[in-house]
């Protein structure tokens, strides 16, 4: 499948050649200028090109290392940062690297400060449901900063968007919400107000563990502060509580996170937002009035929880402790058959390492890939048609190896009885001779 | 073992140094339980030098060793805190690990019959663990300990449950084992790939296949290979092999098989190209190293493999097969005792090593 991805990645400038170039040459260029000559046979301009005559060159995946990390494909792009997949070349652990450019950071308000604060906060945190910052690297020359983080397969927002009614089955939403509570409780215990809880900031690891991410606008309360009073907020408008929408000068930080978690839960379970508006003024007006309508087809206990979390007055809004004791939270809903999976990335449902093609390139795949370097449009079409069929030819996606031809060994091994054994590859022989018994 | 071992540090007497742990987090001593004079292995973890994640792993390991009970799994007889150290007491495995055996006596690998005996024991242990819903995740020669009554599997520090979170109904694991760097060469392609397909108990079978090669060849496949190259080779389906005259052909510069015994061919290589392992052994190794985990047999299925037929025919006792290696036993304890004083002194010195204390103000 990596092969296919490479082809899909083909850019127009990779289009190498179109046959019939001679016939193009035969056409006099002057014809194009002579536009009053109407009865020119159109066939003279437009040559039919067979699909196997359009040849693409597969985009080369050039292996790039930053520190000890081998870089892979782009996972996402934000306003001021790119996120790429990476592989720790020592531990072989998958990672995600957030790449910040100083130049871009300067352009956004508080950009540099937010980035610095996020790093400082993440460094001191350690919890199962909070994204872990593994490493930070700075390239002074390129004016870039690399934040190496735990690898996540996707976010709740992408999952919601992949479903027709933009919501999760109750049991799944319940699971994520409980993990959100765990992470949030930890953050609050460390004196940190996240201020930007929303589905797109809740990521999932391979095993489905929820990670609260993006602490870019979070605030660490002063160690000696009397309470959780905050003065600024830069979170997403749709998730802001009435006290911020109404422009209060100061507000309780923790209750802001409760509100936005409430909006998140509302969104996860109904597929809608409790407050909407065409623009930010209308939206804030709607939030400020706080006329909440909760769909009556929801579980009554869930309705009660949502009403408690989306309480206009922060003083009477539920606290984290009360939410934990709420009947809807305590009672785990029964698992139903419906389940929203993490949507495939670039057609790959298994979310396999995107670093592998780069590594194959680095370790000289010439003998294996030679035949696939150029690919015609027809092959591409056929391959796409083939991939649409439900038949899975390689049943484990281990088929990152480019073609089955190079797997002579595996194919031979599959035969029940075989007389010929593949000689050890020169690689292992070399390794062995260099290996001295001690 | 029916004897009850106390967890009082005063009842154990250090005799000599047995070895260092692969990751350097622990030192293993030969000890004597003074109550009954029984020799034991004492694994000492210096908690001052260990990170928080590793502390948790050690804790999990000791708990797991005490929970599981199988004659081919290394048990923990007692554990206690003594000074800066956490000490875990295990029965003494006289021959040490298979890795030690290879280093000291069998540089080009163990004899096939010996491997068959050891492998059978380890398969029993794996079968037991898998039945309990555990994956070992670190099967390797250095975790296989040999005593005069057979082999036992250790290294439970890396083990995990197949069902880690309650949401996981499909029997798949996705977690990448922490601090697993020293075991990378043994890990299965599906574990290393870290994708949504995850992995399961079959991952241990792949590691066992790699261990087979390690035991037979005397060196683990992909030793000296960059880890990233090892990954791509495994993902592409390159299966390591047992080196004998059917697989190990020496080519000269023109690419032709070279029969001459020229100077480039050292003793180790000659040994490989002259010996021959049985067909069932090659077959077993290939089955274990199937790239697709569905095609790999389970440990229970492997136990019925033709390779183990030779165990039944065999009349040679284990100690004879293991010669020239001799076990540590009552008779040869005193002669290795002299080095202990210096080790203990060194140990005391490192305890006094105040300069290396790092205060971590970030926390």
């Amino acid at each position: 499948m990596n092969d296919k991805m490479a082809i899909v990645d083909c850019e127009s400038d990779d289009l190498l050649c179109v046959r019939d170039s001679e016939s193009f040459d035969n056409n006099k260029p002057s014809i194009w200028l002579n536009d009053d000559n109407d009865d020119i046979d159109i066939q003279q301009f437009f040559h039919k090109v067979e699909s196997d005559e359009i040849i693409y060159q597969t985009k080369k995946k050039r292996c790039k290392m930053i520190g000890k990390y081998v870089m892979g494909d782009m996972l996402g792009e934000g306003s001021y940062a790119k996120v790429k997949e990476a592989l720790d070349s020592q531990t072989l652990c998958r990672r995600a690297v957030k790449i910040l450019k100083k130049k871009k950071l300067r352009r956004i308000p508080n950009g540099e400060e937010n980035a610095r604060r996020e790093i400082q906060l993440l460094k001191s945190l350690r919890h199962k449901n909070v994204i872990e910052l593994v490493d930070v690297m700075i390239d002074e020359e390129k004016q870039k900063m690399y934040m190496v983080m735990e690898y996540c397969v996707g976010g709740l927002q992408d999952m919601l968007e992949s479903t027709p009614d933009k919501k999760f089955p109750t049991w799944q939403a319940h699971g994520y919400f409980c993990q959100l509570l765990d992470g949030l409780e930890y953050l609050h215990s460390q004196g940190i107000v996240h201020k930007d809880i929303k589905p797109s900031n809740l990521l999932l690891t391979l095993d489905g563990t929820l990670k609260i991410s993006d602490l870019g606008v979070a605030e660490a309360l002063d160690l000696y502060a009397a309470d959780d009073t905050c003065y600024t907020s830069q979170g997403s408008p749709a998730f802001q509580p009435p006290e911020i929408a109404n422009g209060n000068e100061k507000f309780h930080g923790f209750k802001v996170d409760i509100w936005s978690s409430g909006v998140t839960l509302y969104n996860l379970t109904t597929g809608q937002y409790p407050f909407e508006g065409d623009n930010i003024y209308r939206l804030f007006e709607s939030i400020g009035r706080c006329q909440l309508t909760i769909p009556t087809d929801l579980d009554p206990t869930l309705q009660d929880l949502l009403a408690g979390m989306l309480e206009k007055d922060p003083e009477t809004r539920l606290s984290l402790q009360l939410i934990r004791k709420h009947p809807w939270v305590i009672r785990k809903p029964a698992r139903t058959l419906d389940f929203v999976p993490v949507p495939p990335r670039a057609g790959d449902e298994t979310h396999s390492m995107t670093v592998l093609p780069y590594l194959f390139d680095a370790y000289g795949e010439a003998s294996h890939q030679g035949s696939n370097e150029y690919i015609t449009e027809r092959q591409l079409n056929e391959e796409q048609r083939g991939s649409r069929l439900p038949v899975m030819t390689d049943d484990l996606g281990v088929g990152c190896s480019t073609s089955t031809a190079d797997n002579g060994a595996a194919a031979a091994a599959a035969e029940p009885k075989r007389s010929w054994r593949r000689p050890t590859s020169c690689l292992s022989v070399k390794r062995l001779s260099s290996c001295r018994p001690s | 073992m029916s004897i009850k071992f106390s967890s009082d540090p005063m009842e154990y007497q250090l005799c000599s140094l047995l070895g260092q742990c692969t990751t350097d987090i622990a030192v293993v001593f030969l000890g004597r339980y003074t109550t009954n004079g029984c020799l034991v292995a004492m694994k000492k973890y210096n908690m001052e030098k260990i990170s928080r994640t590793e502390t948790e792993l050690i804790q999990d390991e000791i708990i797991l060793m005490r929970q599981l009970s199988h004659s081919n799994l290394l048990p923990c007889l007692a554990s206690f805190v003594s000074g800066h150290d956490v000490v875990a007491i295990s029965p003494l495995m006289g021959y040490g690990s298979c890795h030690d055996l290879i280093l000291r006596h069998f540089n080009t690998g163990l004899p096939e019959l010996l491997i068959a005996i050891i492998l059978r024991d380890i398969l029993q242990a794996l079968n037991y663990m898998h039945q309990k819903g555990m994956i070992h995740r670190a099967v390797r020669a250095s975790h296989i300990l040999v005593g005069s009554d057979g082999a036992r599997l250790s290294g439970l520090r890396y083990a995990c449950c197949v069902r880690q979170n309650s949401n996981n109904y499909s029997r798949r694991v996705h977690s990448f084992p922490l601090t697993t760097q020293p075991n990378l060469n043994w890990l299965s392609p599906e574990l290393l790939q870290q994708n949504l397909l995850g992995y399961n108990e079959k991952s241990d079978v792949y590691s066992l296949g790699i261990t087979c090669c390690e035991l037979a060849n005397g060196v683990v496949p992909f030793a000296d290979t960059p880890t990233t190259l090892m990954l791509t080779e495994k993902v592409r389906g390159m299966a390591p092999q047992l080196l004998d005259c059917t697989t190990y052909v020496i080519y000269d510069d023109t690419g032709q098989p070279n029969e001459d015994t020229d100077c480039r061919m050292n003793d180790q290589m000659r040994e490989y190209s002259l010996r021959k392992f049985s067909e069932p052994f090659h077959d077993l190794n290939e089955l274990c190293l199937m790239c697709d985990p569905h095609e790999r047999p389970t440990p229970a299925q492997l136990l019925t493999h033709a390779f183990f037929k030779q165990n039944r025919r065999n009349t040679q006792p284990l100690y004879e097969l293991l010669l020239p290696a001799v076990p540590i036993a009552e008779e040869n304890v005193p002669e290795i005792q002299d080095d202990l004083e210096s080790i203990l002194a060194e140990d005391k010195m490192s305890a006094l090593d105040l300069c290396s204390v790092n205060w971590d103000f970030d926390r």
Side-chain angles (χ1 to χ4, degrees):
Chain A
M1 70 14 54
N2 286 287
D3 226 8
K4 263 177 245 152
M5 273 168 53
I7 298 151
V8 176
D9 280 345
C10 277
E11 283 157 15
S12 51
D13 50 26
D14 285 329
L15 189 73
L16 265 197
C17 66
V18 178
R19 213 209 53 172
D20 286 0
S21 52
E22 315 150 41
S23 36
F24 276 125
D25 293 341
N26 290 345
N27 295 320
K28 287 167 192 75
S30 62
I31 287 173
W32 294 97
L33 303 170
N34 189 0
D35 37 356
D36 46 19
N37 199 346
D38 284 320
D39 52 279
I40 285 278
D41 187 3
I42 228 132
Q43 290 296 319
Q44 260 186 288
F45 298 116
F46 297 98
H47 298 275
K48 196 174 169 222
V49 180
E50 294 291 333
S51 61
D52 59 350
E53 288 166 347
I54 302 171
I55 300 166
Y56 294 102
Q57 183 179 24
T58 51
K59 198 174 166 186
K60 274 275 177 174
K61 303 252 181 181
R62 288 264 170 254
C63 189
K64 185 177 162 193
M65 294 220 24
I66 293 167
K68 60 172 180 169
Y69 300 93
V70 189
M71 303 305 283
D73 284 352
M74 180 117 78
L75 293 175
E77 201 165 3
S79 50
Y80 61 94
K82 270 194 253 181
V83 180
K84 279 190 173 184
E85 194 190 323
L87 183 75
D88 185 325
S89 65
Q90 286 166 12
T91 63
L92 293 187
C93 192
R94 271 179 105 171
R95 299 290 185 203
V97 181
K98 195 166 169 179
I99 306 168
L100 304 159
K101 269 193 187 154
K102 229 176 188 173
K103 221 200 261 170
K104 279 189 183 167
L105 274 184
R106 282 203 197 102
R107 257 183 257 155
I108 21 178
N110 305 326
E112 275 185 278
E113 198 199 319
N114 285 356
R116 204 173 314 119
R117 186 172 48 212
E118 184 174 9
I119 291 173
Q120 207 180 359
L121 284 181
L122 284 175
K123 263 188 180 170
S124 65
L125 299 176
R126 190 188 131 118
H127 186 269
K128 192 172 162 261
N129 298 114
V130 177
I131 193 102
E132 187 193 341
L133 178 68
V134 182
D135 205 352
V136 179
M137 296 176 292
I138 293 167
D139 188 334
E140 291 290 351
E141 207 175 302
K142 284 190 186 165
Q143 293 278 290
K144 278 182 180 175
M145 186 152 61
Y146 304 92
M147 292 167 65
V148 184
M149 324 257 247
E150 264 176 292
Y151 175 78
C152 289
V153 265
L156 296 192
Q157 187 64 38
D158 302 330
M159 291 166 77
L160 286 170
E161 278 165 17
S162 73
T163 62
D165 42 3
K166 314 269 178 264
K167 62 174 188 179
F168 286 114
T170 315
W171 69 270
Q172 205 174 351
H174 180 270
Y176 296 144
F177 184 69
C178 290
Q179 297 189 62
L180 169 63
L181 291 182
D182 286 347
L184 207 54
E185 191 174 58
Y186 171 76
L187 287 180
H188 289 184
S189 76
Q190 301 291 307
I192 292 166
V193 185
H194 187 280
K195 292 191 186 176
D196 200 13
I197 297 286
K198 55 177 180 179
S200 62
N201 281 341
L202 304 177
L203 307 181
L204 289 183
T205 59
L206 285 162
D207 61 353
T209 307
L210 181 133
K211 302 276 175 181
I212 299 177
S213 76
D214 198 352
L215 278 78
V217 299
E219 179 175 336
L221 299 171
D222 191 88
L223 208 54
Y224 304 104
D227 59 7
D228 59 337
T229 306
C230 295
Y231 301 91
T232 57
S233 171
Q234 306 173 55
S236 313
F239 295 83
Q240 299 296 306
E243 58 269 27
I244 291 177
N246 287 334
N248 286 15
E249 202 179 281
K250 55 181 189 179
F251 44 86
H252 291 298
F254 294 151
K255 290 294 171 76
V256 175
D257 282 346
I258 300 287
W259 174 277
S260 43
S261 301
V263 178
T264 302
L265 180 61
Y266 191 104
N267 186 234
L268 297 184
T269 50
T270 65
Q272 288 152 1
Y273 293 97
F275 306 100
E276 279 174 309
D278 305 332
N279 54 48
I280 190 159
Y281 304 106
R282 290 269 173 80
L283 177 67
F284 273 181
E285 204 182 295
S286 162
I287 296 172
R289 263 186 279 121
C290 198
Q291 279 170 338
L292 182 67
T293 46
I294 296 171
T296 44
D297 57 333
L298 285 181
D299 183 323
T301 53
L302 177 57
Q303 288 184 41
D304 182 65
L305 174 63
L306 286 172
M309 293 180 76
L310 299 175
E311 177 70 51
K312 187 178 180 183
D313 181 5
E315 299 293 338
T316 50
R317 196 176 298 154
L318 290 179
S319 66
L320 216 44
Q321 289 71 29
L322 286 174
I323 296 171
R324 277 213 177 272
K325 286 186 198 139
H326 192 278
W328 189 77
V329 176
I330 292 173
R331 196 179 60 226
K332 193 176 165 184
R335 187 185 163 133
T336 48
L337 283 174
D338 41 356
F339 167 67
V340 179
V342 180
R345 206 196 76 87
D348 175 18
E349 282 179 25
T350 65
H351 288 257
S352 56
M353 274 187 197
T354 63
V355 179
L356 282 171
Y358 296 91
L359 285 176
F360 288 145
D361 175 65
Y363 290 120
E365 189 88 348
S367 56
H368 304 296
Q369 233 169 12
S371 54
N372 292 342
E373 198 174 344
Y374 300 102
I375 188 156
T376 66
E377 178 89 12
R378 179 179 288 170
Q379 283 173 327
L380 186 66
N381 290 340
E382 276 168 8
E383 215 167 317
Q384 278 170 350
R385 222 170 295 134
S387 66
R388 247 174 263 137
L389 293 173
V391 192
M392 286 284 280
T393 35
D394 56 349
D395 39 354
L396 230 193
V398 198
C400 293
S401 45
T402 52
S403 64
T404 42
D406 67 332
N407 273 341
E415 289 166 20
K417 263 278 183 241
R418 20 172 247 104
S419 47
W420 178 81
R421 185 164 286 121
R422 183 178 58 101
T424 311
S425 80
C426 61
L427 167 89
S428 39
V429 173
K430 244 187 283 162
R431 295 301 155 200
L432 270 165
S433 52
S434 66
C435 190
R436 283 174 306 275
S438 40
Chain B
M1 260 202 218
S2 52
I3 318 155
K4 184 107 174 63
F5 283 82
S6 122
S7 44
D8 177 6
M10 301 313 288
E11 295 193 42
Y12 294 91
Q13 178 201 346
L14 281 181
C15 296
S16 75
L17 181 76
L18 282 182
Q20 204 99 25
C21 202
T22 36
T23 44
D24 250 23
I25 58 166
V27 187
V28 184
F29 290 97
L30 175 68
R32 190 186 295 279
Y33 183 48
T34 47
T35 315
N36 63 1
C38 183
L39 285 176
V40 289
M42 299 173 69
K43 194 166 183 178
K44 275 189 154 194
Y45 299 94
N46 187 339
M47 300 317 273
E48 298 274 287
K49 294 178 182 167
I50 289 174
S51 72
R52 192 167 140 184
T53 24
E54 273 174 339
T55 313
E56 283 163 16
L57 288 172
I58 292 162
Q59 202 172 346
D60 291 347
E61 181 183 20
I62 293 177
I63 293 171
L64 199 60
M65 282 170 87
R66 306 200 93 175
Q67 279 175 344
L68 297 177
S69 158
H70 187 271
S71 56
N72 297 115
L73 275 180
L74 189 75
C76 175
L77 303 172
S79 58
F80 48 85
V81 178
S82 147
H84 293 297
D85 304 321
V86 164
V87 183
I89 306 288
S90 296
L92 175 70
M93 302 298 282
Y95 290 95
S97 76
C98 284
H99 182 69
D100 298 333
L101 282 173
I102 289 169
L103 284 186
R104 290 183 196 139
H105 306 285
F106 302 93
N107 290 335
T108 54
L110 307 179
E112 185 177 332
L113 185 56
L114 185 56
I115 295 175
I117 293 169
I118 290 170
L119 228 46
R120 222 185 88 89
D121 286 349
I122 297 312
L123 278 170
Q124 306 270 20
L126 282 180
N127 190 29
Y128 168 82
M129 278 188 80
H130 293 176
Q131 276 173 0
K132 298 275 172 202
M134 310 290 304
I135 310 181
H136 187 280
R137 299 199 296 187
V139 179
R140 52 182 287 174
S142 63
H143 286 154
I144 298 175
L145 305 178
V146 183
S148 44
D149 55 344
R152 285 178 186 235
L153 189 58
S154 70
L156 293 173
R157 189 158 61 255
Y158 305 94
C160 76
C161 284
V162 182
R163 287 179 211 193
Q164 277 178 318
N165 38 9
S166 49
N167 276 348
N168 199 349
Y169 278 71
S170 55
R171 298 169 57 82
R172 285 185 299 194
V173 180
H174 295 94
S175 72
F176 195 67
L178 296 161
T179 66
T180 197
Q181 210 172 332
N183 301 331
L184 285 175
N185 282 345
W186 286 264
L187 295 180
S188 68
E190 69 269 18
L191 191 158
L192 291 173
Q193 283 195 70
Q194 301 160 75
N195 60 27
L196 278 179
L197 292 168
Y199 59 95
N200 59 13
E201 305 96 325
K202 293 287 184 70
S203 181
D204 278 346
V205 177
Y206 187 93
S207 305
L208 191 78
I210 296 281
T211 310
C212 257
C213 294
E214 186 188 11
L215 295 177
N217 301 341
V219 57
V220 66
F222 308 110
D224 294 358
T225 315
T227 49
T228 46
L229 179 58
M230 179 271 292
L231 171 72
T232 54
E233 290 287 306
K234 276 186 185 171
V235 168
R236 276 185 216 157
M238 210 288 269
Q241 290 174 318
L242 307 174
L243 301 177
D244 68 0
C245 61
T246 61
T247 53
Y248 193 76
V249 184
I250 293 156
Y251 292 95
D252 62 15
D253 296 331
T254 58
Q256 295 297 312
N258 192 343
E259 298 296 334
D260 311 331
T261 49
D262 67 348
C263 54
R264 284 181 302 146
M265 198 163 147
N266 60 31
D267 289 346
Q268 192 180 14
M269 294 160 94
R270 193 176 299 115
E271 166 86 34
Y272 289 145
S273 59
L274 290 178
R275 69 181 175 190
K276 176 145 175 41
F277 289 120
S278 72
E279 201 55 39
F281 193 16
H282 281 289
D283 183 63
L284 176 103
N285 188 53
E286 263 167 33
L287 284 173
C288 290
L289 293 177
M290 287 287 192
C291 203
D292 179 357
H294 300 285
E295 286 182 43
R296 273 175 234 150
T298 61
Q301 286 166 336
L302 281 171
L303 280 168
T304 62
H305 192 273
F307 176 58
F308 299 108
K309 274 184 187 163
Q310 55 188 312
N311 296 25
R312 259 174 283 150
R313 286 195 300 266
N314 169 47
T315 49
Q316 241 179 322
L318 188 60
Y319 76 88
E320 248 181 66
L321 287 167
L322 279 160
L323 285 173
V326 283
I328 295 170
E330 285 297 337
E331 311 88 69
N332 51 8
V333 172
E335 59 188 275
I336 43 177
Q337 206 170 9
D338 3 315
D339 54 343
L340 190 68
E341 282 307 311
S342 59
I343 294 160
L344 288 178
E346 208 175 284
D347 210 36
K348 280 198 185 102
M349 284 302 286
S350 68
L352 290 170
D353 188 7
L354 294 171
C355 307
S356 66
V357 171
N358 289 316
W359 291 98
D360 190 0
F361 289 107
D362 289 347
R363 287 224 159 253

